[in-house]
Amino acid sequence: MQYLEGRRYVVQGIFLLVGLVFAARLFFMQVLDGTYKLAADKNTLQRLVQVPFRGSVYDRNNQLLVTNTPVYDLLVVPREVRALDSARFCQLLQMPLEELRASLRAAKKYSRTKPSPLVQNLSPAEHAAIQDNLIDFPGFRVQARMARAYRTPNLAHALGYVGSITPRLLELPKYAHYVPGENVGIAGLESYYEPTLMGRRGVQYKMVNVRGVEKGAFRGGEFDTLSVAGQDLHLSIDAELQAYGEELLAGRRGSIVAIDPKTGEILAFVSAPHYEPQMLTGKGMGNRYMDLLRNPDRPLFDRPLMATYPPGSVFKLVNELVALQLGVVTPNTGFECNQKLVHCTHQHEYPANVSLAIKNSCNPYFYQVMRAAVVRGQSPNKFEDARLGLAQWQKMVKSFGLGEKLGVDMGQEKRGFIPSVEFYDKLRGYHHWNFRTVYSLAIGQGEIGITGLQMANVLATIANRGYYYTPHFVKGIGPSGPLPKYRERHYTAVDTTLFKYIIPGMQEVVDGRGGTGSLASLREFGISVAGKTGTVQNPHGFDHATFAAFAPANDPKIAIAVFIENSGFGGTSAAPAAGLMIEKYLRGKVAPSHKRMEDWVKYGNLTAHLH
Ligand SMILES: [Zn+2]
């Protein structure tokens, strides 16, 4: 281009549209985006840009979720506007005069010679209604382009959306080759996989004489490039499971993340409340976006990736594994339920081993487990001893993918927080804190934050007995597999031989007598669920409920984490939601006998027992 735009050619800056052209094998939109006068003769050189079709998006069962549909933008080139009959023009477009004036001012401000979109996303019918009259209005023309069309009302948070590139984005180097009015992925998968989905533009240079007759390719097509269609994305999401999850949490705030532990593929990604992806496409998208933004329930907020909560009792599983690895407890270690240390959840049998401690979620037991892990007599100074112990604890906990971004294929992921020695040094002062300062970490409370995605990944790690694949949404890009980084196993700092010791206790949580997660039980179908309930302290209102699980216990195919905000104890709301999701995924349906539980999750007064 440098060569073509050199002194031999005068760039006239005329941008025209020639329309939609469908090639036999490759669909693309062809845009004439420049005409250059050749100094040597009377011919001009036209630069035709072929914008390829954006890739479609499918679920794991090849169900089409997102595709393309033609829409039309009305463009204006301010310099070419002549003697505009504003009244007639506004009538044609059914546009208030003030709005037209404001739009024209904005267009002039952007460029007098380049086209700016005046009205976007006209439907084919709206386009037909104005098409014939436009000839009376020089400086205005219509450009066809492809917009996203959604075949699903679900998964909006993961899909993200596509919009016309904004002047602000156009200034960024990575979008330097985009033209105004063109589509770009703005959030979610549409943004993360933008280069893949958009493909590559083709450019052709054609010689045209003064009468507009084509005189062939410039220099035999030496500078031409072919367009390459955008690639399709094949998601690991199960569209049916996704729809079911969104239905379960429709009236709640919270999240559900389900992962296939054997691959790290995300099966369901529910952020409640949700919105329909169709809302962020087509005419009026801007207004709908603002409505969503102002909604006090924050439907745009991507909870599984961006909301961080103290994990509550589910975190006891991680602490137990760390202590087993350090050799400070064994699976047969018993600790008194000593309520002088920390209050316990309820009256229960003596926790003579780890299984009984997990089943009863005994707070004093796990207080003593963590104390054994942190206070190890590594220094005669008790403050220094706590510093050394906590540093090792933090490093081992982080190996579970906590406190850092996991690296999911989406931009907005939060890292969560696993407090460090430096954090407490700063908070309390050097050698001014000890185990009593940090003990709430033993039960997953206090200065600790993890995301729903991270919690599901911890369960996938336990399901795999010690390793995980980074969770991801895309299992196939065109004919290829996932990105290579999603095929790597990540081992934790805990030996794979130790994970088996916590699993019987997790099965007892669900299927044992008086287990706290019994509403997640699928024993009637011969499926053993291993799980853990949790209650997340919320200083702003009712506690949040959580439940995390995997199933079948001996050959896990799904790991899941459910958070339901302001609904109190995890066993009453989050556990049945998780159980229903597991049932739906493993059996393909939910038994009629579970209809009442479904209604309870959807409509029940989950906080009634807290009043
Ligand atoms: Zn207890």
Side-chain angles (χ1 to χ4, degrees):
M1 273 317 296
Q2 202 57 46
Y3 172 67
L4 288 172
E5 285 171 2
R7 59 188 164 79
R8 292 175 59 203
Y9 310 106
V10 181
V11 180
Q12 290 187 325
I14 295 172
F15 293 75
L16 288 170
L17 173 95
V18 293
L20 269 177
V21 176
F22 295 96
R25 286 182 46 217
L26 186 66
F27 292 111
F28 53 79
M29 200 173 86
Q30 191 152 291
V31 184
L32 175 62
D33 85 335
T35 301
Y36 312 85
K37 187 173 272 174
L38 296 169
D41 49 40
K42 293 267 163 51
N43 289 343
T44 55
L45 186 64
Q46 291 187 334
R47 182 174 187 264
L48 288 151
V49 175
Q50 297 170 340
V51 181
F53 250 37
R54 196 171 177 87
S56 296
V57 182
Y58 297 85
D59 91 330
R60 70 185 291 111
N61 300 312
N62 273 325
Q63 185 183 325
L64 180 63
L65 303 177
V66 189
T67 183
N68 304 294
T69 187
V71 293
Y72 302 85
D73 294 341
L74 179 63
L75 306 180
V76 59
V77 179
R79 199 179 68 173
E80 296 172 13
V81 177
R82 299 271 179 276
L84 177 63
D85 180 348
S86 301
R88 198 184 141 215
F89 190 77
C90 285
Q91 197 185 14
L92 179 68
L93 289 171
Q94 299 178 337
M95 182 190 223
L97 185 60
E98 273 316 301
E99 198 182 318
L100 174 69
R101 284 183 178 147
S103 300
L104 286 175
R105 273 197 301 275
K108 271 185 202 159
K109 203 173 155 202
Y110 167 67
S111 168
R112 293 185 59 81
T113 55
K114 290 183 190 165
S116 292
L118 192 74
V119 181
Q120 289 184 294
N121 297 305
L122 297 168
S123 67
E126 289 169 320
H127 170 230
I130 63 165
Q131 192 178 16
D132 293 343
N133 293 296
L134 274 184
I135 191 141
D136 301 337
F137 299 98
F140 297 90
R141 60 182 150 264
V142 165
Q143 174 170 288
R145 72 187 161 84
M146 287 295 170
R148 281 313 216 186
Y150 295 90
R151 301 282 181 264
T152 173
N154 307 117
L155 199 64
H157 293 90
L159 293 174
Y161 60 97
V162 163
S164 291
I165 192 159
T166 59
R168 194 178 57 80
L169 287 180
L170 275 171
E171 284 169 20
L172 301 177
K174 75 183 218 192
Y175 297 117
H177 54 299
Y178 285 69
V179 294
E182 197 175 349
N183 280 339
V184 65
I186 296 180
L189 295 167
E190 294 277 14
S191 171
Y192 193 89
Y193 288 98
E194 168 69 17
T196 307
L197 286 165
M198 99 85 63
R200 201 176 67 211
R201 289 173 190 71
V203 179
Q204 290 178 315
Y205 296 94
K206 290 211 169 99
M207 312 265 279
V208 178
N209 74 10
V210 283
R211 282 182 294 276
V213 178
E214 231 178 71
K215 306 298 278 184
F218 178 64
R219 293 224 183 163
E222 186 182 339
F223 300 101
D224 295 357
T225 53
L226 286 174
S227 69
V228 178
Q231 302 213 68
D232 295 339
L233 295 183
H234 297 271
L235 306 189
S236 54
I237 292 288
D238 181 315
E240 266 193 45
L241 186 67
Q242 177 71 27
Y244 186 62
E246 290 190 19
E247 192 189 317
L248 284 177
L249 292 199
R252 314 281 182 203
R253 292 188 194 194
S255 69
I256 303 176
V257 179
I259 297 176
D260 177 352
K262 292 186 165 74
T263 56
E265 292 172 359
I266 298 173
L267 303 169
F269 184 83
V270 176
S271 184
H274 66 273
Y275 62 95
E276 295 194 8
Q278 191 70 37
M279 291 179 77
L280 294 186
T281 188
K283 213 160 116 189
M285 163 180 167
N287 290 336
R288 290 192 296 273
Y289 179 83
M290 291 311 293
D291 288 346
L292 288 170
L293 201 61
R294 283 190 285 253
N295 184 326
D297 286 330
R298 301 175 71 197
L300 289 174
F301 187 44
D302 189 345
R303 284 180 165 79
L305 288 187
M306 300 183 73
T308 60
Y309 310 91
S313 297
V314 179
F315 193 66
K316 291 169 181 168
L317 301 171
V318 176
N319 277 332
E320 176 67 27
L321 288 166
V322 167
L324 286 170
Q325 176 68 27
L326 290 169
V328 295
V329 295
T330 75
N332 292 315
T333 299
F335 286 116
E336 288 291 337
C337 177
N338 177 358
Q339 303 226 22
K340 286 181 188 141
L341 299 172
V342 58
H343 74 95
C344 198
T345 50
H346 62 296
Q347 287 285 332
H348 58 81
E349 64 215 293
Y350 170 67
N353 56 49
V354 66
S355 294
L356 287 170
I358 291 173
K359 180 193 166 193
N360 292 298
S361 200
C362 179
N363 285 343
Y365 184 96
F366 289 101
Y367 176 103
Q368 292 167 92
V369 166
M370 177 140 175
R371 189 174 61 187
V374 171
V375 183
R376 307 218 305 280
Q378 297 183 92
S379 166
N381 178 314
K382 72 169 181 173
F383 298 110
E384 189 56 26
D385 193 33
R387 289 181 91 248
L388 293 171
L390 193 82
Q392 280 154 328
W393 172 88
Q394 192 220 18
K395 199 172 159 204
M396 292 173 77
V397 168
K398 285 180 80 172
S399 75
F400 283 77
L402 302 175
E404 299 289 346
K405 290 182 184 185
L406 279 167
V408 67
D409 40 0
M410 201 157 294
Q412 60 266 42
E413 183 185 5
K414 288 273 185 278
R415 24 185 331 140
F417 183 64
I418 303 298
S420 63
V421 164
E422 291 70 32
F423 172 81
Y424 289 108
D425 280 352
K426 205 171 162 192
L427 188 74
R428 296 297 183 93
Y430 178 72
H431 281 191
H432 276 78
W433 58 272
N434 60 18
F435 179 71
R436 274 304 291 180
T437 317
V438 305
Y439 81 92
S440 56
L441 299 174
I443 54 173
Q445 308 282 11
E447 301 90 353
I448 179 172
I450 84 170
T451 65
L453 180 77
Q454 286 173 327
M455 188 178 281
N457 189 56
V458 165
L459 269 288
T461 307
I462 298 170
N464 288 336
R465 279 70 170 167
Y467 64 87
Y468 67 88
Y469 292 95
T470 302
H472 54 281
F473 290 92
V474 173
K475 62 181 292 193
I477 301 168
S480 318
L483 296 174
K485 64 176 175 176
Y486 297 132
R487 293 179 189 263
E488 284 171 35
R489 280 186 184 188
H490 300 278
Y491 286 88
T492 72
V494 176
D495 289 348
T496 52
T497 53
L498 297 173
F499 283 76
K500 61 175 177 280
Y501 296 120
I502 64 166
I503 294 171
M506 294 173 70
Q507 291 176 271
E508 283 289 298
V509 165
V510 179
D511 288 325
R513 239 172 81 101
T516 52
S518 59
L519 292 181
S521 177
L522 298 173
R523 197 168 39 178
E524 61 190 291
F525 307 116
I527 298 170
S528 172
V529 175
K532 183 75 195 78
T533 51
T535 304
V536 179
Q537 285 176 355
N538 173 25
H540 311 293
F542 287 123
D543 289 346
H544 306 321
T546 175
F547 184 76
F550 62 86
N554 295 319
D555 179 23
K557 294 186 167 67
I558 180 171
I560 189 165
V562 178
F563 280 92
I564 304 183
E565 293 184 12
N566 312 115
S567 67
F569 174 61
T572 53
S573 57
L580 290 166
M581 288 290 284
I582 295 171
E583 181 183 355
K584 174 84 177 167
Y585 183 66
L586 294 181
R587 301 189 74 235
K589 61 185 177 198
V590 170
S593 59
H594 283 175
K595 178 82 178 107
R596 279 186 62 191
M597 195 153 69
E598 217 177 77
D599 287 346
W600 162 252
V601 172
K602 284 197 231 173
Y603 314 114
N605 183 354
L606 303 180
T607 55
H609 64 293
L610 300 173
H611 287 282

